[in-house]
Structure formats: C-alpha cells, structure tokens
Amino acid sequence: MSETQAAPTPARLAEQARAKAPIEVTGAQSLVLSLESMDVDTVFGIPGGAILPAYDPLLDSVKVRHILVRHEQGAGHAAEGYASATGRVGVCMATSGPGATNLVTALADAHMDSVPIVAITGQVASASIGTDAFQEADIRGITMPITKHNYLVTDAAQIPRVIAEAFHIAATGRPGPVLVDISKDALQAKTTFAWPPRIDLPGYHPVTRPHTKQIREASRLIAASERPVLYVGGGVIRADACEELRQFVELTRIPVVTTLMARGALPDSHELHLGMPGMHGSVAAVTALQKADLLITLGARFDDRVTGQLSTFAPEAKVIHADIDPAEISKNRKADVPIVGSCKDVLVDLIQSVDADIDAGRGGDYARWRERTLGWKRDFPLGYTSTEGGTLAPQYVIERLSAIVGPEAVYVAGVGQHQMWAAQFVQYERPRAWLNSGGLGTMGYAVPAAMGAQVGEPERTVWAIDGDGCFQMTNQELATCVINNIPIKVAVINNSSLGMVRQWQSLFYNERYSNTDLHTSHEGTRIPDFVKLADAYGCAGLRCERPEDVDDTIRQAMAINDRPVVVDFVVHRDAMVWPMVQAGVSNDAIQVAKDTAPQWDREEEVGS
C-alpha cells in the first residue's frame, strides 16, 4: 500500500481479523486493535515522539475515545478514578522519558490501593535503548517495584499477546497496575494481527477459591468467640463482595468496621456498622477492635494507620485473615486462621458453613457484645465544635454536601484533613461511591480521579472534595474537563493551609507553623483566587464563606451541569480532625479532642 492510500480503520481491520486469517498491520495498528478487542472505551493520555506512531491509528478508532489530559500524572489518576468507580480496567498512555516518569506517582498509588490500570508508554527505538538517547528512561526498571507486572516490547508481533496479558494480570487476583513499554520501531514495524492471542503466563495462577479446611476452622472460631468484629478492607469492594458481606452480617449479627478504603462496603445506615477504624476512626470502631476476642479480617492488610502501635493492637483477639494476596497474610499480624482466596468466594463459603452451624445449634451468641458496641456508637458519635465568629466549619460543609447531594453520587477526595472529614461526614450507602488515595496519600489525586470517575459513570454526579493545597497540584485538568464536556464539581475546602501538616504543627510542634500557609483565603490577597481561576478555565466559579450560605451554594452548583463547577468554601483554618490516635502509640490512647480521652463509665471500665 502506498503512503498516499488511506489506511484501513481499526474497526475495519477488526472486522477482517474476526472474519478470516491474520491481517498485515503496523505495530501501532495492532496496539489499537488490541485495545478495541479488550473493549477499552477510554484512554487518558498525551502524545509525544516515541508514542506518536500509536496516536495515528488511534485517530481512526470509533471504539476508543482518547482524552487529551494536561499532565501525565492526571492521565494516571484519571485511569484510577475510572477503574475505581466502574470496576473496569483504566487505561492511560504517555510517551518515553519524562512522559513515562510523570506516570510514576499514579502507578505507585494504584499499586498501594490495588487499582487495576494498564499504562502504555512509548520507548525509544530498540537499537537506541541503553545509549542515553533523547527522552530515554528505563521506565520498566523504574516502575518494577510499583507495578504488579511490566513489559518492554521490542517485537511488534508480541503486542496483542502482551496487551491481553496486561489486562488479565491487572484485573485478576489482587488488582493492580501493569505497565507496557513499547519501542518506537516496534510500533512502526509491519506485523500481523490476530485475536485472541495465546496468553502464556505459566507462573500466574491466583487462588480464588478458599480451602474448605480453613473455612471450617474459621467457622469454629466464629462460633466460639464472644466479642467478634468484622474488620472489612478495600478488598471486599475490589472483589464485588458487598452483597455477600451484607448477607453474612445479617446472618451472624456481628459488628462491622470498614476501613478508609472500604467505606460503602456496608451501608453507613446499617445498625451494626460502627464506622471507620484507625488514626481518625470513630471511637466505637477503634474501641471494638481493641476489646475484640476475634477479628474476622476480609481484604484488609493491618495498615499502620489502622493498628497504631502494632504490638498493642487488639491484644486479646485471635485473627481470621482472608485475602487474595497470600503475601498480605501474617505480614503485619500473625493470622490464627489464614485463608487465601477472593473475598467473594470466602464469604459465600463462610455463609454456608456458619449457617450450618447455626442450624445445628452451634451458632455464637453475641447479644451482650452487640449491646456494648452499639452503646459506644451511641455515646461517642462523630461530631465537631462550632467555629467562632461566624466562620465556616469544614465538617459542616461536607455534612451538608452529603445531605443535599445524596448517596448515589461519587465522592473523590484528595489527601489531608478534607479527606478524613469526607470519610467521616459523608454518608456512604453503596460501594464505589468513595474514591481516595489511601495507601500512598497522593496530594493532587482528587481532580483527575474525579474526571476519570465522571467519564466512567456519566449519569452520576461526581464531587471532588479537595484541599486548597491538593487542588493546586492538578487543577490544570479542569481544562481537560471543560474541553471534553466532563462536568465534575469541585468543593475546595480552603483553610489557606496545608491543613493536616498545620494540625500536627499545632499538636506536636508548639504551633510553629513552618511553611504551611498557602495564602489562598486572606481577604484581598487570595493567591490564587479560585473563583477567577475557575472562570479562566471556563468553569463556573462560586465562593461560600458563611454557614447560612452553604445550602444555597451547593444547590446552585448542583443546578449547573453544562460545565465543571468549582466552589471555594473558605473555612476556619484551625479546625482539626478528631478523633485522633497519635502515630506510633496504642489505639487505647484515642482522643476525641485535644488532651481529651473518651470518658467511659465506671461499670464499662470494670467490665472490660
């Protein structure tokens, strides 16, 4: 075919591939055909020299929508947001060198939080690899510790197989990011495309079905315990096991805590839900774990933010630990009953086993324990003190946002105080309604992740709840949202500070506020003015500074659906996140306010 002839479209090539023997294409066309064959509908990315051959056939695809972001980190977080909101694999694309290295933070974030994404990067021509060529970086070596798997492809014939394997690895077992680095000459070379390719992964066989003996032993411990707690992590949501969790809770009537990554796995309105455990968890959740004699741990990893000082965590409890990743079991806390398997399959089998025990009269009796835990939930609800001088309490803003917007929306947080308030004061009634950077704690996650969530869930309202510090790291993606008709809404919780750092400086550094003032809400010197910034990007910009204006401002934002909305909520800068357990100390030292521990009644102390 001459260069002047029109190249066949990927859709046409796909038809030919399905109809007959392999067809001749370029490596770039093979890549696009492979993405189409994997039912990819969206790719977030930025073109550049090494990846440019792939962008030419991408222009002709009628199945794959490419969204041109403003920074590769935004592409990575958008792919994460898409994946977390939909349960499907998110896809991002970048060129070699700095384009690829700009994806590193998002890859690390996805790795920590078990988010299934595939990142495709261009690489310099294979003959130039290792010569320090222009825009060369060993992205495979750089990302090896922070990806589930990665590939360097220098042979165009391998592209379909590698793409199929990448999606399979990303989505199965413990989900995670997979990087596919393709050299420019492989994209330009002639090859043949046929689908489906033969997947060859001899060492990859994730165990999903739990061992029957372990299920029986777990059932025995559950029946024998007097103070059990279901410690539910994000793995339950990743496994689509929330309905099975609800059934198990209804069957056993065991109290439940949901971690930061598991908010929504069980509705907040469920009477047995005690809240979120950990450094900023509810008193009921933290205390129940500490007093428990059995932890039924599902898809959680005993993270340091949950356990506090590990040696003092849940000192009287035996541990059932179910996880699809065997490396997590007994990594931090020794499991008495380890169960390797998908949380969904584990819960199905546990329901069957425990139900049989109940029918045989061997079920556990947790009535007194339930009464105790629900007493803590009643006596120590989440709350906050009103601010002085008519200033705006950030917790009130988020509380009203939840009440007005409702549980069917998607809420996406950055990292810091606003993240914790969003975890505490939004009412989560369904899975995949709450997206955040839990493990890595990535400032700048919210706006691009909200963008990805909105693309994946176009019928839902998506709110990014962001801090004024986080927002300034990735707000250039507002341009992407405007141009691509992605109408996210952003609530900037603007305390003119790096708020969580300032809180620690208040509590532990004698109020010496070193480099935490952002100057974003000082009257007359708003740097930047977020309303003007929103306007410059083509968004609607609103500001709210008084409690009495909060509801009207949120409703005004909700009424605008033809473009993104940015709301600058100017809040009291000294508001703090409570409850709190200091880093590295026992969860028994939980405080509900500065220097204020929960006041247990005397009978409770004696009975504990």
Side-chain angles (χ1 to χ4, degrees):
M1 177 169 40
S2 71
E3 291 186 6
T4 57
Q5 276 184 283
T9 67
R12 177 67 182 146
L13 291 172
E15 287 175 15
Q16 295 173 19
R18 282 193 293 269
K20 54 185 182 181
I23 51 174
E24 186 175 286
V25 293
T26 66
Q29 289 172 324
S30 181
L31 171 62
V32 175
L33 285 165
S34 298
L35 293 174
E36 289 187 342
S37 299
M38 293 304 305
D39 294 324
V40 172
D41 57 21
T42 307
V43 173
F44 302 92
I46 301 181
I51 196 67
L52 199 55
Y55 270 80
D56 186 64
L58 195 57
L59 185 66
D60 298 319
S61 178
V62 295
K63 294 184 177 180
V64 180
R65 175 191 186 189
H66 180 275
I67 294 177
L68 176 63
V69 298
R70 294 303 179 266
H71 191 286
E72 291 90 354
Q73 183 182 350
H77 292 321
E80 285 189 277
Y82 177 98
S84 296
T86 66
R88 302 193 295 272
V89 177
V91 184
C92 56
M93 191 178 288
T95 195
S96 64
T101 58
N102 279 345
L103 287 176
V104 166
T105 297
L107 290 169
D109 192 274
H111 191 247
M112 288 283 274
D113 287 347
S114 304
V115 181
I117 67 172
V118 170
I120 299 164
T121 54
Q123 183 53 276
V124 299
S126 55
S128 299
I129 293 174
T131 68
D132 291 335
F134 177 67
Q135 289 194 333
E136 181 191 359
D138 178 13
I139 196 61
R140 187 170 182 233
I142 290 167
T143 62
M144 200 167 284
I146 55 167
T147 51
K148 189 175 177 185
H149 193 59
N150 59 23
Y151 294 87
L152 172 61
V153 181
T154 57
D155 177 4
Q158 301 302 316
I159 289 173
R161 176 187 62 80
V162 167
I163 292 297
E165 288 181 4
F167 277 79
H168 176 69
I169 292 168
T172 55
R174 180 179 182 172
V178 178
L179 177 109
V180 179
D181 195 30
I182 310 175
S183 66
K184 188 172 184 176
D185 54 322
L187 291 171
Q188 293 171 319
K190 290 291 184 180
T191 184
T192 55
F193 175 82
W195 196 269
R198 180 176 174 272
I199 291 179
D200 184 25
L201 295 168
Y204 182 69
H205 302 288
V207 174
T208 58
R209 294 289 304 163
H211 196 289
T212 305
K213 178 173 177 260
Q214 300 304 93
I215 293 291
R216 283 201 305 267
E217 183 60 19
S219 298
R220 188 187 68 77
L221 282 188
I222 291 168
S225 70
E226 297 178 352
R227 303 187 306 280
V229 174
L230 275 158
Y231 165 22
V232 174
V236 169
I237 293 177
R238 299 284 186 251
D240 288 323
C242 299
E243 175 56 26
E244 289 77 10
L245 172 67
R246 186 194 62 77
Q247 291 174 19
F248 187 71
V249 173
E250 295 295 335
L251 174 68
T252 61
R253 307 293 294 163
I254 292 172
V256 183
V257 303
T258 55
T259 68
L260 180 67
M261 296 305 297
R263 303 290 289 112
L266 188 75
D268 282 355
S269 58
H270 196 288
E271 62 168 330
L272 293 175
H273 186 246
L274 302 180
M276 180 177 74
M279 176 177 278
H280 295 294
S282 70
V283 170
V286 171
T287 306
L289 290 175
Q290 289 300 96
K291 304 285 188 184
D293 66 358
L294 177 67
L295 302 185
I296 307 162
T297 308
L298 302 169
R301 56 190 180 86
F302 293 89
D303 173 73
D304 62 289
R305 284 299 192 259
V306 168
T307 66
Q309 186 180 45
L310 189 59
S311 61
T312 65
F313 177 68
E316 300 172 22
K318 291 186 175 180
V319 173
I320 299 166
H321 192 176
D323 202 290
I324 200 160
D325 183 359
E328 287 296 346
I329 296 176
S330 296
K331 183 178 80 175
N332 293 329
R333 171 71 176 257
K334 185 178 183 302
D336 296 278
V337 180
I339 306 175
V340 178
S342 160
C343 285
K344 194 179 190 77
D345 290 333
V346 168
L347 279 164
V348 166
D349 287 2
L350 274 177
I351 289 167
Q352 188 175 5
S353 181
V354 172
D355 196 22
D357 283 348
I358 292 171
D359 287 345
R362 298 192 299 270
D365 179 9
Y366 319 121
R368 287 187 62 194
W369 173 239
R370 272 196 305 274
E371 185 180 342
R372 243 177 115 184
T373 58
L374 295 178
W376 297 328
K377 181 179 176 180
R378 180 189 63 244
D379 295 342
F380 302 101
L382 287 170
Y384 55 92
T385 55
S386 299
T387 55
E388 299 174 359
T391 55
L392 201 50
Q395 302 96 324
Y396 177 73
V397 171
I398 293 170
E399 200 172 53
R400 295 308 301 154
L401 190 70
S402 174
I404 293 168
V405 176
E408 291 305 312
V410 178
Y411 299 89
V412 189
V415 169
Q417 287 181 315
H418 66 278
Q419 174 192 27
M420 294 297 105
W421 289 320
Q424 291 175 332
F425 292 101
V426 174
Q427 184 91 354
Y428 297 104
E429 296 295 311
R430 64 177 189 89
R432 303 192 186 281
W434 163 243
L435 280 55
N436 80 123
S437 171
L440 197 65
T442 304
M443 291 180 69
Y445 170 89
V447 170
M451 177 174 72
Q454 185 75 82
V455 170
E457 295 274 32
E459 301 306 313
R460 293 193 189 273
T461 299
V462 178
W463 275 90
I465 300 173
D466 219 357
D468 46 319
C470 289
F471 181 62
Q472 292 185 77
M473 293 192 174
T474 50
N475 63 30
Q476 68 270 25
E477 299 308 334
L478 290 173
T480 311
C481 291
V482 170
I483 291 166
N484 291 279
N485 299 311
I486 305 169
I488 66 169
K489 304 179 195 301
V490 184
V492 181
I493 307 301
N494 182 3
N495 58 8
S496 197
S497 302
L498 296 172
M500 189 61 87
V501 183
R502 181 181 170 88
Q503 176 168 334
W504 281 50
Q505 287 173 333
S506 296
L507 295 174
F508 311 125
Y509 292 90
N510 299 315
E511 300 182 357
R512 288 165 55 83
Y513 300 119
S514 173
N515 292 283
T516 47
D517 191 342
L518 294 176
H519 299 275
T520 50
S521 64
H522 299 328
E523 191 64 50
T525 56
R526 303 182 196 273
I527 305 172
D529 184 316
F530 291 135
V531 174
K532 291 180 180 178
L533 183 71
D535 182 64
Y537 274 123
C539 306
L542 307 172
R543 178 172 291 119
C544 180
E545 301 185 77
R546 303 186 308 165
E548 57 267 33
D549 296 333
V550 169
D551 284 18
D552 286 344
T553 304
I554 294 170
R555 290 194 177 97
Q556 189 179 348
M558 289 294 288
I560 300 170
N561 294 303
D562 61 344
R563 60 198 188 280
V565 183
V566 176
V567 186
D568 181 14
F569 286 104
V570 181
V571 300
H572 188 69
R573 75 182 315 182
D574 288 320
M576 294 193 188
V577 183
W578 299 105
M580 181 176 180
V581 179
Q582 290 185 36
V585 305
S586 170
N587 283 350
D588 290 326
I590 188 170
Q591 296 187 351
V592 293
K594 187 176 182 181
D595 300 325
T596 307
Q599 294 300 306
W600 313 107
D601 61 44
R602 185 171 299 277
E603 185 179 337
E604 174 66 47
E605 280 297 319
V606 171
S608 66

